[in-house]
Amino acid sequence: SPAAVVGNLTAWMTEKGAVTQVAFDGEDWRVEGSDKINTSEALVRIPEKLAITTYDVREHDLIAEVAEGRDDFVGLTLWVLAELAKGPNSS
């Protein structure tokens, strides 16, 4: 489940001293970083194939035209909704 994944990630980050507080209010996660974090050190790396970008929005067959000219967050939200609607056929 997503909660378990976030829980595992934040537990690991806490163990490494990178996180001081983790909270979930039923809708949103809040993670507070520690002052021990080196600003040049990556805490989490997300493979490009798992990242959703504005390029994905522009190339999406269903929402590219609707998202054009709108805020990036609108386009990314439309992309997520379009992929959720595809169900198991989502890319």
Side-chain angles (χ1 to χ4, degrees):
S1 77
V5 172
V6 171
N8 290 340
L9 175 62
T10 55
W12 175 82
M13 292 173 73
T14 301
E15 178 184 310
K16 299 296 181 189
V19 171
T20 58
Q21 182 178 358
V22 178
F24 180 66
D25 68 7
E27 285 188 34
D28 298 314
W29 285 95
R30 182 172 153 222
V31 178
E32 291 185 12
S34 163
D35 59 1
K36 296 177 186 176
I37 298 172
N38 181 340
T39 57
S40 63
E41 180 182 6
L43 293 176
V44 178
R45 294 189 191 275
I46 300 171
E48 186 175 346
K49 69 180 182 178
L50 297 178
I52 304 165
T53 67
T54 55
Y55 174 82
D56 299 305
V57 172
R58 288 190 307 270
E59 297 298 312
H60 198 282
D61 57 332
L62 296 175
I63 57 102
E65 190 174 325
V66 176
E68 188 175 347
R70 300 190 190 281
D71 185 82
D72 289 347
F73 291 113
V74 172
L76 294 168
T77 300
L78 290 171
W79 188 96
V80 170
L81 291 172
E83 290 301 308
L84 284 172
K86 288 181 180 181
N89 296 322
S90 172
S91 59

